[in-house]
Amino acid sequence: MRTPPRNTGFQHPYSSEITPKAVYEDRRQMLKRMAGGAAGAAIAAWAGRQAMAQQVTRPGKLAALASTKSAVAGAVTMEKLTDYKDASTYNNFYEFGTDKADPARNAHTLKTTPWTVEVEGLIKKPGKYGIEDLLKLSVQEERIYRLRCVEGWSMVIPWVGYSLAELIKRVEPMGSAKYVEFVTLADKATMPYVGSRVLDWPYVEGLRMDEAMHPLTLLAFGMYGEVLPNQNGAPVRLVVPWKYGFKSAKSIVKIRFVEKEPGTAWNKAAQQEYGFYSNVNPNVDHPRWSQATERRIGEDGLFAKKRKTLMFNGYEAQVGQLYAGMDLKKFY
């Protein structure tokens, strides 16, 4: 994609630079000089609000990623957002370490440009998509989703992206494609813990085709109005809000359409603990702890009462029909 001249103030979403503040300040001062009296005061107030909005929507000072409101049912929860600092420093991303603080500390080594996602398997239109192509494939939407970790903690995060179904429709899956497999980058040069014995690398996740096609299943490129931080799965990740967080593959480099259920990273590591479906279910405990309650990061103190976990993480009305007739204790 051709980058416009610098004097336009254009900021490519994956540039390492930040749009010069002087461009914005010059425009604000110009507006303040345009008129005096009440009109001038109104314009000055407007400029102030715009400056404040810019600060609020760019909490991590990464490149801004514009989005529209989503009309997808269930796509916007009204719960209080988790603070950006918590969401970007309390992470599971084992390619960068097993401690919650490791990804934020170590993921600066990840190179997110250039970036290509290969789409292959049982589809009529296989191909390779640069991150620039994926960014403009469909309109970016803000989706405010609950995130529930299998470990018993949760967050509320405003993501930016579009339904994975938009990409799936473009590649035209064959009738024999029953599952979608997602493969994460496994680069020892930029991911210091790849090669450790914790998991079988590369990290692989998968969804049944109807799960992948559900409008809530998100291909995400940003959060909090900015591009994704490296530790949160830059430059492109999956977000499946009714499943435990580990089902949402990060830093995706390959999407494969297959006939048989793919072997996934945590399922292969401990099948009795991490089933293929891994739907949030307060009635099915992890072998080592209850899943009936959760701790909301940033809100609940160490001794505060935990909140009850909702079936399908609160998305039962939207996705419950996908599992009609299934034994959810057997297909955990």
Side-chain angles (χ1 to χ4, degrees):
M1 183 172 67
R2 184 165 179 250
T3 303
R6 288 181 59 85
N7 62 5
T8 64
F10 176 88
Q11 171 65 30
H12 187 278
Y14 286 94
S15 170
S16 60
E17 300 179 2
I18 297 176
T19 303
K21 293 182 178 178
V23 174
Y24 177 81
E25 183 61 24
D26 287 347
R27 291 173 181 170
R28 188 175 73 87
Q29 293 298 332
M30 179 183 68
L31 286 169
K32 289 179 68 176
R33 293 194 296 268
M34 283 175 62
I43 291 174
W46 174 85
R49 286 196 299 272
Q50 293 302 305
M52 180 66 71
Q54 186 183 43
Q55 294 172 6
V56 170
T57 58
R58 299 190 63 188
K61 303 298 187 291
L62 300 177
L65 186 58
S67 62
T68 63
K69 293 182 178 180
S70 179
V72 174
V76 180
T77 179
M78 301 304 292
E79 296 178 56
K80 179 183 176 182
L81 299 183
T82 298
D83 188 79
Y84 177 90
K85 183 177 180 181
D86 289 329
S88 61
T89 60
Y90 192 88
N91 309 109
N92 283 327
F93 201 168
Y94 278 27
E95 286 86 340
F96 297 103
T98 56
D99 186 81
K100 294 292 183 291
D102 283 346
R105 183 165 49 239
N106 299 329
H108 64 278
T109 57
L110 178 65
K111 306 299 182 184
T112 60
T113 181
W115 193 275
T116 302
V117 177
E118 187 172 1
V119 186
E120 62 179 30
L122 301 174
I123 53 177
K124 296 179 181 178
K125 296 181 178 180
K128 295 181 179 180
Y129 292 79
I131 190 64
E132 297 85 0
D133 302 318
L134 290 174
L135 280 165
K136 62 186 180 182
L137 185 143
S138 186
V139 176
Q140 301 276 345
E141 298 181 356
E142 182 178 67
R143 306 279 187 91
I144 303 177
Y145 285 165
R146 303 176 196 88
L147 170 67
R148 173 62 155 81
C149 182
V150 71
E151 297 168 341
W153 53 266
S154 62
M155 297 183 181
V156 177
I157 298 177
W159 303 100
V160 179
Y162 50 78
S163 296
L164 175 65
E166 297 298 326
L167 174 60
I168 293 177
K169 288 184 288 187
R170 298 288 184 96
V171 301
E172 298 183 16
M174 301 175 187
S176 54
K178 306 300 182 184
Y179 296 89
V180 186
E181 181 183 66
F182 306 89
V183 182
T184 287
L185 178 69
D187 179 16
K188 292 182 179 180
T190 61
M191 296 172 145
Y193 282 75
V194 168
S196 67
R197 297 182 179 182
V198 178
L199 293 170
D200 182 21
W201 308 103
Y203 192 97
V204 174
E205 257 308 333
L207 297 172
R208 206 170 61 189
M209 181 63 73
D210 57 349
E211 296 175 322
M213 286 294 294
H214 194 281
L216 285 177
T217 300
L218 187 70
L219 199 61
F221 304 88
M223 65 183 209
Y224 296 84
E226 299 180 358
V227 298
L228 288 168
N230 286 4
Q231 62 268 26
N232 290 89
V236 56
R237 62 168 291 167
L238 194 67
V239 183
V240 192
W242 69 92
K243 294 179 178 287
Y244 293 118
F246 68 87
K247 291 294 294 184
S248 297
K250 302 181 179 78
S251 301
I252 297 170
V253 293
K254 185 172 293 186
I255 299 175
R256 183 184 293 121
F257 292 76
V258 297
E259 185 174 4
K260 296 182 179 180
E261 181 180 294
T264 58
W266 280 107
N267 185 246
K268 287 190 287 186
Q271 185 176 1
Q272 72 280 8
E273 297 185 16
Y274 309 103
F276 174 80
Y277 284 93
S278 292
N279 292 318
V280 176
N281 188 341
N283 304 312
V284 176
D285 292 334
H286 185 280
R288 289 180 280 136
W289 56 79
S290 169
Q291 294 289 19
T293 59
E294 64 197 65
R295 176 173 61 93
R296 181 63 54 82
I297 298 298
E299 293 183 7
D300 299 338
L302 183 61
F303 300 105
K305 184 178 179 180
K306 294 183 178 180
R307 63 182 68 210
K308 291 183 177 180
T309 290
L310 303 175
M311 187 66 191
F312 295 114
N313 202 25
Y315 298 95
E316 185 173 12
Q318 289 79 33
V319 304
Q321 71 278 6
L322 297 179
Y323 311 101
M326 290 181 62
D327 182 345
L328 297 183
K329 289 188 177 181
K330 178 180 179 182
F331 298 100
Y332 58 95

